[in-house]
Amino acid sequence: MTHPLRDAPEGAGGGTGLRVGYLVFRPESLTFTVCRALSECGIGVSIWTADAEPGARLASSIQQRVQGIDGVRIVGRDAAQRPEVLDRLIVQCFPRTHDVLRELPPLAARARAITLISAGDRSRRWAEALRLQGLELRSLGAAARRVDRVLYKDGFHKVDLFAAGRRRDMVGFDVHSQFLSDRDKQTVMHARDWDPHVARPLRANFMGCRDPQPRLAILDAVRERFVSPSGTAIASPGGQPMFWCEYSDAAPQGLTPVEFVQTLTQSDFTLCPLGYSRVTHRPLEALLRGSIPVLDASELDLYGIELADGGNCIAVGRDGWAAAVDRIAAMPEPAVLAMRARVHAMRPALDYARLAAGICSRLGLQRPQVEVAGRSAAHPDDAASRHETTT
C-alpha cells in the first residue's frame, strides 16, 4: 500500500504540489489535529514557529508526535526556509498571540490565500475577542484581503470583526494524539467491534484531569454521585456502578490506553467537561466506543459533526451538571439503547478519513485523488475498510 506523503518527493506540499505553510507559537494539540488531518488527506505542510527558544521544548510528547507525522516539516524561525510563494498559509494565533503576530507579516506577504485560526473565539469575552481580532487584522495589513476563511477552535461569537465578508467555521477536532500517532492504538480506538443492542456494565464514567479550575468546579458538583467518601463506587437506580478516575496535572496517573478504551466501551455515558479549552477529545472518543457523551450545551457545534441532546448526546445547561448526572443515572435501559443505536448510526461520520477531510475542507484545502491499493484515497470508506481488515 502506498501513502501519498511517505512515497512522494520531499517538499512542502507532499504529493499534492501545494505549498502550505503553518505559523504557530509552538506545536501543540491543535497543531497536531491540523497536521494529522492534512497528512491523512495527502497534503504536506511546513511549520514556522514564533517561539524564540524552540529547542528547549521539542522534547514534549505532543511536539514529538507532530514531528512524526508524514509530510510535516518543522522549520522553526529560519528565514532562509521561507518559500517565495505559499499557496495557503494557516495562521494559528494562539497561544502567545503577540509573539505569533510578530512573525506573521513576512509570511503573509508570500501567501496567495490565508486561513486564520483566530484567538478571538468564544472562550473569551466578546470585548476581549474583538480586541484580539483587531490585533490580527493590523498585523496582516494589506494581506488581510487574502484571508478568505476564519476558523475557531472554541466557536465564534455571533458578531465579530470577521462576521462580514469572510467564511467563518469551526476547525473541528479529533481523538487524543496518542490514538492517531500509534497504528495499534488507532485501530483499537476506531474498531467497529461493539454492538449497540448489548447492555453495558457501567452506567457512566469520568476519566481525566481535575485541572483547570473550571473543570474542578464541575467535578466537585458531581463527584458524590459517582463515588462515596470512602472511595466506593455508587450504583445507579438500575444497579449499574458509576466509574470515577480523577487525577491532577501535578500527578497525572490515569488509566493505561487499553484500560481507557475498555472503560469507554463498557460505559453507557461518558462525562466530557471542558478543560483548558471548550473543545476536548473526549466526546469523539466516547462516540467511537459507543458511549454517549455528556457535554455542555454551548459546545455541541464545535466538533464538525451533528450532535443533538437526547439523540446522540446529553447537553448540559448552565450550572446543570448535577441534574444531568441524575438524568442519565435514572434513564430507562430502552432509552439508553435507543440513544446508543443513534450513536452507532453515526459511525461513517466518525471515520477518521471523513473527519480529516472535513477539517481540510474548512481549512480551504482539498484531498487529492491518490490511488491507494487500486482505489481512490478520497473514497470515504477507505479508512473504515482498513480498520475492519486489521481488527
Side-chain angles (χ1 to χ4, degrees), residues 205-207 215 218-219 226 264 269-275 277-287 291-297 299 303 313-314 316 321:
N205 75 72
F206 170 75
M207 299 179 286
R215 176 179 282 183
I218 292 170
L219 301 187
F226 280 76
L264 289 175
F269 296 92
T270 293
L271 267 58
C272 309
L274 85 170
S277 64
R278 291 176 179 272
V279 67
T280 76
H281 302 289
R282 195 69 82 248
L284 291 170
E285 292 164 344
L287 290 167
S291 187
I292 300 157
V294 183
L295 69 164
D296 193 282
E299 298 161 8
Y303 293 91
C313 72
I314 298 295
V316 181
W321 279 91

mmCIF file of all heavy atoms in Angstrom, residues 205-207 215 218-219 226 264 269-275 277-287 291-297 299 303 313-314 316 321:
data_model
loop_
_atom_site.group_PDB
_atom_site.id
_atom_site.type_symbol
_atom_site.label_atom_id
_atom_site.label_comp_id
_atom_site.label_asym_id
_atom_site.label_seq_id
_atom_site.Cartn_x
_atom_site.Cartn_y
_atom_site.Cartn_z
ATOM 1 N N ASN A 205 -19.132 7.264 33.337
ATOM 2 C CA ASN A 205 -17.761 7.397 33.811
ATOM 3 C C ASN A 205 -17.304 8.848 33.716
ATOM 4 O O ASN A 205 -17.808 9.626 32.911
ATOM 5 C CB ASN A 205 -16.801 6.506 33.002
ATOM 6 C CG ASN A 205 -16.495 7.063 31.615
ATOM 7 O OD1 ASN A 205 -15.778 8.053 31.477
ATOM 8 N ND2 ASN A 205 -17.050 6.434 30.582
ATOM 9 N N PHE A 206 -16.342 9.176 34.555
ATOM 10 C CA PHE A 206 -15.459 10.315 34.317
ATOM 11 C C PHE A 206 -14.040 9.807 34.412
ATOM 12 O O PHE A 206 -13.663 9.173 35.400
ATOM 13 C CB PHE A 206 -15.655 11.459 35.308
ATOM 14 C CG PHE A 206 -14.559 12.495 35.161
ATOM 15 C CD1 PHE A 206 -14.579 13.372 34.090
ATOM 16 C CD2 PHE A 206 -13.484 12.533 36.037
ATOM 17 C CE1 PHE A 206 -13.550 14.282 33.907
ATOM 18 C CE2 PHE A 206 -12.446 13.444 35.869
ATOM 19 C CZ PHE A 206 -12.484 14.326 34.788
ATOM 20 N N MET A 207 -13.232 10.117 33.398
ATOM 21 C CA MET A 207 -11.817 9.750 33.393
ATOM 22 C C MET A 207 -11.043 10.967 32.919
ATOM 23 O O MET A 207 -11.212 11.413 31.784
ATOM 24 C CB MET A 207 -11.554 8.580 32.435
ATOM 25 C CG MET A 207 -12.294 7.302 32.774
ATOM 26 S SD MET A 207 -11.949 5.989 31.562
ATOM 27 C CE MET A 207 -12.912 6.572 30.154
ATOM 28 N N ARG A 215 -12.968 23.105 35.354
ATOM 29 C CA ARG A 215 -13.323 21.686 35.344
ATOM 30 C C ARG A 215 -13.483 21.164 36.770
ATOM 31 O O ARG A 215 -14.397 20.395 37.054
ATOM 32 C CB ARG A 215 -12.274 20.857 34.600
ATOM 33 C CG ARG A 215 -12.568 19.371 34.669
ATOM 34 C CD ARG A 215 -11.568 18.525 33.916
ATOM 35 N NE ARG A 215 -11.837 18.570 32.480
ATOM 36 C CZ ARG A 215 -11.143 17.866 31.568
ATOM 37 N NH1 ARG A 215 -10.142 17.100 31.958
ATOM 38 N NH2 ARG A 215 -11.447 17.962 30.290
ATOM 39 N N ILE A 218 -16.854 21.722 38.131
ATOM 40 C CA ILE A 218 -17.841 20.776 37.607
ATOM 41 C C ILE A 218 -17.720 19.437 38.333
ATOM 42 O O ILE A 218 -18.722 18.838 38.752
ATOM 43 C CB ILE A 218 -17.647 20.590 36.088
ATOM 44 C CG1 ILE A 218 -18.006 21.884 35.351
ATOM 45 C CG2 ILE A 218 -18.482 19.419 35.567
ATOM 46 C CD1 ILE A 218 -17.634 21.883 33.888
ATOM 47 N N LEU A 219 -16.496 18.963 38.497
ATOM 48 C CA LEU A 219 -16.299 17.676 39.173
ATOM 49 C C LEU A 219 -16.777 17.722 40.620
ATOM 50 O O LEU A 219 -17.365 16.751 41.125
ATOM 51 C CB LEU A 219 -14.825 17.267 39.109
ATOM 52 C CG LEU A 219 -14.218 17.105 37.711
ATOM 53 C CD1 LEU A 219 -12.813 16.527 37.806
ATOM 54 C CD2 LEU A 219 -15.094 16.233 36.823
ATOM 55 N N PHE A 226 -20.874 9.715 41.950
ATOM 56 C CA PHE A 226 -20.096 8.636 41.361
ATOM 57 C C PHE A 226 -19.387 7.777 42.400
ATOM 58 O O PHE A 226 -19.257 6.568 42.231
ATOM 59 C CB PHE A 226 -19.036 9.224 40.408
ATOM 60 C CG PHE A 226 -19.565 9.598 39.065
ATOM 61 C CD1 PHE A 226 -20.307 10.751 38.889
ATOM 62 C CD2 PHE A 226 -19.326 8.788 37.951
ATOM 63 C CE1 PHE A 226 -20.803 11.107 37.644
ATOM 64 C CE2 PHE A 226 -19.814 9.134 36.705
ATOM 65 C CZ PHE A 226 -20.550 10.293 36.550
ATOM 66 N N LEU A 264 -14.453 3.135 28.267
ATOM 67 C CA LEU A 264 -15.397 3.781 27.362
ATOM 68 C C LEU A 264 -16.376 2.759 26.783
ATOM 69 O O LEU A 264 -17.589 3.003 26.719
ATOM 70 C CB LEU A 264 -14.645 4.472 26.212
ATOM 71 C CG LEU A 264 -13.848 5.740 26.525
ATOM 72 C CD1 LEU A 264 -13.095 6.190 25.276
ATOM 73 C CD2 LEU A 264 -14.745 6.854 27.036
ATOM 74 N N PHE A 269 -22.580 6.114 29.402
ATOM 75 C CA PHE A 269 -22.370 7.550 29.252
ATOM 76 C C PHE A 269 -20.944 7.912 29.678
ATOM 77 O O PHE A 269 -20.363 7.266 30.548
ATOM 78 C CB PHE A 269 -23.359 8.351 30.108
ATOM 79 C CG PHE A 269 -24.802 8.168 29.710
ATOM 80 C CD1 PHE A 269 -25.570 7.180 30.320
ATOM 81 C CD2 PHE A 269 -25.378 8.969 28.746
ATOM 82 C CE1 PHE A 269 -26.910 7.001 29.967
ATOM 83 C CE2 PHE A 269 -26.705 8.800 28.385
ATOM 84 C CZ PHE A 269 -27.469 7.807 28.984
ATOM 85 N N THR A 270 -20.416 8.985 29.076
ATOM 86 C CA THR A 270 -19.093 9.494 29.430
ATOM 87 C C THR A 270 -19.187 10.994 29.663
ATOM 88 O O THR A 270 -19.648 11.742 28.780
ATOM 89 C CB THR A 270 -18.074 9.212 28.319
ATOM 90 O OG1 THR A 270 -17.853 7.792 28.230
ATOM 91 C CG2 THR A 270 -16.744 9.905 28.593
ATOM 92 N N LEU A 271 -18.753 11.454 30.845
ATOM 93 C CA LEU A 271 -18.731 12.881 31.125
ATOM 94 C C LEU A 271 -17.587 13.541 30.366
ATOM 95 O O LEU A 271 -16.444 13.055 30.384
ATOM 96 C CB LEU A 271 -18.557 13.135 32.627
ATOM 97 C CG LEU A 271 -19.848 13.316 33.436
ATOM 98 C CD1 LEU A 271 -20.756 12.100 33.301
ATOM 99 C CD2 LEU A 271 -19.539 13.620 34.893
ATOM 100 N N CYS A 272 -17.885 14.681 29.693
ATOM 101 C CA CYS A 272 -16.913 15.382 28.857
ATOM 102 C C CYS A 272 -16.883 16.869 29.219
ATOM 103 O O CYS A 272 -17.227 17.733 28.396
ATOM 104 C CB CYS A 272 -17.268 15.222 27.382
ATOM 105 S SG CYS A 272 -17.549 13.522 26.829
ATOM 106 N N PRO A 273 -16.487 17.210 30.452
ATOM 107 C CA PRO A 273 -16.458 18.630 30.827
ATOM 108 C C PRO A 273 -15.316 19.365 30.123
ATOM 109 O O PRO A 273 -14.308 18.757 29.748
ATOM 110 C CB PRO A 273 -16.234 18.576 32.335
ATOM 111 C CG PRO A 273 -15.486 17.304 32.558
ATOM 112 C CD PRO A 273 -16.023 16.334 31.539
ATOM 113 N N LEU A 274 -15.472 20.673 29.966
ATOM 114 C CA LEU A 274 -14.419 21.467 29.349
ATOM 115 C C LEU A 274 -13.146 21.370 30.166
ATOM 116 O O LEU A 274 -13.174 21.081 31.372
ATOM 117 C CB LEU A 274 -14.853 22.917 29.230
ATOM 118 C CG LEU A 274 -14.665 23.871 30.426
ATOM 119 C CD1 LEU A 274 -14.932 25.304 29.993
ATOM 120 C CD2 LEU A 274 -15.543 23.509 31.608
ATOM 121 N N GLY A 275 -11.995 21.609 29.507
ATOM 122 C CA GLY A 275 -10.713 21.620 30.183
ATOM 123 C C GLY A 275 -10.041 22.966 29.977
ATOM 124 O O GLY A 275 -10.614 24.004 30.283
ATOM 125 N N SER A 277 -9.544 24.198 27.154
ATOM 126 C CA SER A 277 -10.352 24.815 26.104
ATOM 127 C C SER A 277 -11.733 24.187 26.161
ATOM 128 O O SER A 277 -11.949 23.189 26.844
ATOM 129 C CB SER A 277 -9.714 24.628 24.724
ATOM 130 O OG SER A 277 -9.666 23.263 24.380
ATOM 131 N N ARG A 278 -12.677 24.780 25.444
ATOM 132 C CA ARG A 278 -14.032 24.233 25.435
ATOM 133 C C ARG A 278 -14.078 22.898 24.706
ATOM 134 O O ARG A 278 -14.753 21.958 25.123
ATOM 135 C CB ARG A 278 -14.993 25.233 24.779
ATOM 136 C CG ARG A 278 -15.235 26.491 25.592
ATOM 137 C CD ARG A 278 -16.109 27.470 24.839
ATOM 138 N NE ARG A 278 -16.376 28.669 25.614
ATOM 139 C CZ ARG A 278 -17.384 28.812 26.459
ATOM 140 N NH1 ARG A 278 -18.227 27.811 26.628
ATOM 141 N NH2 ARG A 278 -17.557 29.929 27.137
ATOM 142 N N VAL A 279 -13.409 22.817 23.567
ATOM 143 C CA VAL A 279 -13.402 21.589 22.797
ATOM 144 C C VAL A 279 -12.417 20.612 23.435
ATOM 145 O O VAL A 279 -11.335 20.996 23.885
ATOM 146 C CB VAL A 279 -13.029 21.885 21.322
ATOM 147 C CG1 VAL A 279 -11.596 22.350 21.184
ATOM 148 C CG2 VAL A 279 -13.286 20.678 20.434
ATOM 149 N N THR A 280 -12.812 19.344 23.549
ATOM 150 C CA THR A 280 -11.945 18.315 24.116
ATOM 151 C C THR A 280 -12.015 17.064 23.238
ATOM 152 O O THR A 280 -12.908 16.925 22.399
ATOM 153 C CB THR A 280 -12.353 17.943 25.555
ATOM 154 O OG1 THR A 280 -13.519 17.103 25.523
ATOM 155 C CG2 THR A 280 -12.643 19.177 26.394
ATOM 156 N N HIS A 281 -11.076 16.178 23.456
ATOM 157 C CA HIS A 281 -11.060 14.921 22.686
ATOM 158 C C HIS A 281 -12.171 13.964 23.111
ATOM 159 O O HIS A 281 -12.587 13.107 22.327
ATOM 160 C CB HIS A 281 -9.715 14.202 22.878
ATOM 161 C CG HIS A 281 -8.521 15.003 22.478
ATOM 162 N ND1 HIS A 281 -8.228 15.284 21.163
ATOM 163 C CD2 HIS A 281 -7.539 15.576 23.217
ATOM 164 C CE1 HIS A 281 -7.109 15.993 21.104
ATOM 165 N NE2 HIS A 281 -6.675 16.185 22.333
ATOM 166 N N ARG A 282 -12.662 14.097 24.341
ATOM 167 C CA ARG A 282 -13.471 13.038 24.931
ATOM 168 C C ARG A 282 -14.783 12.746 24.199
ATOM 169 O O ARG A 282 -15.149 11.573 24.074
ATOM 170 C CB ARG A 282 -13.751 13.335 26.405
ATOM 171 C CG ARG A 282 -14.268 12.149 27.185
ATOM 172 C CD ARG A 282 -13.164 11.059 27.353
ATOM 173 N NE ARG A 282 -12.305 11.424 28.460
ATOM 174 C CZ ARG A 282 -11.020 11.780 28.319
ATOM 175 N NH1 ARG A 282 -10.469 11.799 27.107
ATOM 176 N NH2 ARG A 282 -10.284 12.086 29.364
ATOM 177 N N PRO A 283 -15.535 13.750 23.699
ATOM 178 C CA PRO A 283 -16.779 13.380 23.018
ATOM 179 C C PRO A 283 -16.564 12.458 21.818
ATOM 180 O O PRO A 283 -17.330 11.499 21.636
ATOM 181 C CB PRO A 283 -17.356 14.744 22.588
ATOM 182 C CG PRO A 283 -16.830 15.695 23.595
ATOM 183 C CD PRO A 283 -15.430 15.220 23.880
ATOM 184 N N LEU A 284 -15.558 12.718 21.020
ATOM 185 C CA LEU A 284 -15.305 11.854 19.857
ATOM 186 C C LEU A 284 -14.826 10.480 20.293
ATOM 187 O O LEU A 284 -15.226 9.459 19.709
ATOM 188 C CB LEU A 284 -14.292 12.515 18.927
ATOM 189 C CG LEU A 284 -14.815 13.756 18.199
ATOM 190 C CD1 LEU A 284 -13.689 14.491 17.497
ATOM 191 C CD2 LEU A 284 -15.899 13.377 17.196
ATOM 192 N N GLU A 285 -13.976 10.426 21.324
ATOM 193 C CA GLU A 285 -13.521 9.129 21.823
ATOM 194 C C GLU A 285 -14.704 8.322 22.352
ATOM 195 O O GLU A 285 -14.811 7.109 22.085
ATOM 196 C CB GLU A 285 -12.471 9.348 22.921
ATOM 197 C CG GLU A 285 -11.172 9.945 22.383
ATOM 198 C CD GLU A 285 -10.277 10.515 23.470
ATOM 199 O OE1 GLU A 285 -10.759 10.728 24.619
ATOM 200 O OE2 GLU A 285 -9.097 10.777 23.182
ATOM 201 N N ALA A 286 -15.593 8.983 23.089
ATOM 202 C CA ALA A 286 -16.763 8.278 23.616
ATOM 203 C C ALA A 286 -17.638 7.759 22.488
ATOM 204 O O ALA A 286 -18.041 6.580 22.483
ATOM 205 C CB ALA A 286 -17.568 9.228 24.517
ATOM 206 N N LEU A 287 -17.940 8.591 21.513
ATOM 207 C CA LEU A 287 -18.800 8.175 20.401
ATOM 208 C C LEU A 287 -18.202 7.005 19.641
ATOM 209 O O LEU A 287 -18.913 6.066 19.251
ATOM 210 C CB LEU A 287 -19.026 9.357 19.455
ATOM 211 C CG LEU A 287 -19.913 10.493 19.991
ATOM 212 C CD1 LEU A 287 -19.785 11.720 19.103
ATOM 213 C CD2 LEU A 287 -21.364 10.049 20.096
ATOM 214 N N SER A 291 -20.151 5.069 23.641
ATOM 215 C CA SER A 291 -20.558 5.672 24.909
ATOM 216 C C SER A 291 -21.125 7.058 24.612
ATOM 217 O O SER A 291 -20.540 7.819 23.845
ATOM 218 C CB SER A 291 -19.365 5.767 25.861
ATOM 219 O OG SER A 291 -19.773 6.205 27.143
ATOM 220 N N ILE A 292 -22.238 7.393 25.203
ATOM 221 C CA ILE A 292 -22.950 8.632 24.889
ATOM 222 C C ILE A 292 -22.288 9.783 25.639
ATOM 223 O O ILE A 292 -22.205 9.762 26.874
ATOM 224 C CB ILE A 292 -24.430 8.508 25.285
ATOM 225 C CG1 ILE A 292 -25.080 7.351 24.521
ATOM 226 C CG2 ILE A 292 -25.176 9.817 25.025
ATOM 227 C CD1 ILE A 292 -26.314 6.782 25.188
ATOM 228 N N PRO A 293 -21.797 10.799 24.928
ATOM 229 C CA PRO A 293 -21.094 11.887 25.604
ATOM 230 C C PRO A 293 -22.056 12.832 26.326
ATOM 231 O O PRO A 293 -23.168 13.107 25.852
ATOM 232 C CB PRO A 293 -20.369 12.615 24.469
ATOM 233 C CG PRO A 293 -21.186 12.327 23.251
ATOM 234 C CD PRO A 293 -21.758 10.947 23.463
ATOM 235 N N VAL A 294 -21.613 13.334 27.472
ATOM 236 C CA VAL A 294 -22.348 14.330 28.261
ATOM 237 C C VAL A 294 -21.483 15.585 28.254
ATOM 238 O O VAL A 294 -20.384 15.590 28.811
ATOM 239 C CB VAL A 294 -22.585 13.838 29.697
ATOM 240 C CG1 VAL A 294 -23.410 14.840 30.479
ATOM 241 C CG2 VAL A 294 -23.255 12.457 29.695
ATOM 242 N N LEU A 295 -21.958 16.645 27.602
ATOM 243 C CA LEU A 295 -21.147 17.853 27.434
ATOM 244 C C LEU A 295 -22.006 19.100 27.508
ATOM 245 O O LEU A 295 -23.224 19.035 27.391
ATOM 246 C CB LEU A 295 -20.373 17.813 26.121
ATOM 247 C CG LEU A 295 -21.125 17.919 24.790
ATOM 248 C CD1 LEU A 295 -20.144 18.256 23.663
ATOM 249 C CD2 LEU A 295 -21.866 16.630 24.449
ATOM 250 N N ASP A 296 -21.351 20.233 27.699
ATOM 251 C CA ASP A 296 -22.053 21.497 27.826
ATOM 252 C C ASP A 296 -22.837 21.804 26.555
ATOM 253 O O ASP A 296 -22.357 21.598 25.439
ATOM 254 C CB ASP A 296 -21.041 22.612 28.095
ATOM 255 C CG ASP A 296 -21.705 23.893 28.545
ATOM 256 O OD1 ASP A 296 -22.248 24.609 27.681
ATOM 257 O OD2 ASP A 296 -21.684 24.191 29.754
ATOM 258 N N ALA A 297 -24.043 22.314 26.722
ATOM 259 C CA ALA A 297 -24.913 22.598 25.581
ATOM 260 C C ALA A 297 -24.298 23.611 24.631
ATOM 261 O O ALA A 297 -24.589 23.591 23.427
ATOM 262 C CB ALA A 297 -26.269 23.092 26.070
ATOM 263 N N GLU A 299 -21.361 23.691 23.587
ATOM 264 C CA GLU A 299 -20.216 23.113 22.879
ATOM 265 C C GLU A 299 -20.619 22.146 21.774
ATOM 266 O O GLU A 299 -19.762 21.553 21.116
ATOM 267 C CB GLU A 299 -19.303 22.397 23.887
ATOM 268 C CG GLU A 299 -18.726 23.340 24.941
ATOM 269 C CD GLU A 299 -18.221 22.627 26.181
ATOM 270 O OE1 GLU A 299 -18.180 21.374 26.173
ATOM 271 O OE2 GLU A 299 -17.897 23.315 27.169
ATOM 272 N N TYR A 303 -17.500 20.414 16.981
ATOM 273 C CA TYR A 303 -16.791 19.192 16.587
ATOM 274 C C TYR A 303 -16.888 18.828 15.109
ATOM 275 O O TYR A 303 -16.306 17.833 14.676
ATOM 276 C CB TYR A 303 -17.284 18.025 17.461
ATOM 277 C CG TYR A 303 -16.881 18.215 18.900
ATOM 278 C CD1 TYR A 303 -17.720 18.868 19.796
ATOM 279 C CD2 TYR A 303 -15.636 17.804 19.350
ATOM 280 C CE1 TYR A 303 -17.333 19.089 21.108
ATOM 281 C CE2 TYR A 303 -15.242 18.008 20.659
ATOM 282 C CZ TYR A 303 -16.088 18.655 21.536
ATOM 283 O OH TYR A 303 -15.689 18.878 22.829
ATOM 284 N N CYS A 313 -26.337 12.553 22.297
ATOM 285 C CA CYS A 313 -25.554 13.092 23.408
ATOM 286 C C CYS A 313 -26.507 13.635 24.471
ATOM 287 O O CYS A 313 -27.722 13.700 24.250
ATOM 288 C CB CYS A 313 -24.611 14.212 22.918
ATOM 289 S SG CYS A 313 -25.456 15.751 22.483
ATOM 290 N N ILE A 314 -25.941 14.017 25.598
ATOM 291 C CA ILE A 314 -26.681 14.719 26.638
ATOM 292 C C ILE A 314 -26.080 16.119 26.740
ATOM 293 O O ILE A 314 -24.878 16.269 26.988
ATOM 294 C CB ILE A 314 -26.581 14.000 27.999
ATOM 295 C CG1 ILE A 314 -27.193 12.601 27.911
ATOM 296 C CG2 ILE A 314 -27.241 14.825 29.091
ATOM 297 C CD1 ILE A 314 -28.683 12.579 27.637
ATOM 298 N N VAL A 316 -25.736 19.668 28.566
ATOM 299 C CA VAL A 316 -25.842 20.169 29.935
ATOM 300 C C VAL A 316 -26.087 21.670 29.903
ATOM 301 O O VAL A 316 -25.299 22.426 29.300
ATOM 302 C CB VAL A 316 -24.563 19.865 30.735
ATOM 303 C CG1 VAL A 316 -24.695 20.362 32.172
ATOM 304 C CG2 VAL A 316 -24.253 18.374 30.703
ATOM 305 N N TRP A 321 -24.772 20.410 35.709
ATOM 306 C CA TRP A 321 -24.087 19.115 35.651
ATOM 307 C C TRP A 321 -24.672 18.097 36.622
ATOM 308 O O TRP A 321 -24.819 16.922 36.283
ATOM 309 C CB TRP A 321 -22.589 19.306 35.885
ATOM 310 C CG TRP A 321 -21.899 19.747 34.633
ATOM 311 C CD1 TRP A 321 -21.677 21.031 34.220
ATOM 312 C CD2 TRP A 321 -21.389 18.903 33.604
ATOM 313 N NE1 TRP A 321 -21.047 21.034 32.998
ATOM 314 C CE2 TRP A 321 -20.849 19.748 32.596
ATOM 315 C CE3 TRP A 321 -21.317 17.528 33.427
ATOM 316 C CZ2 TRP A 321 -20.260 19.248 31.437
ATOM 317 C CZ3 TRP A 321 -20.725 17.024 32.277
ATOM 318 C CH2 TRP A 321 -20.206 17.874 31.295
#
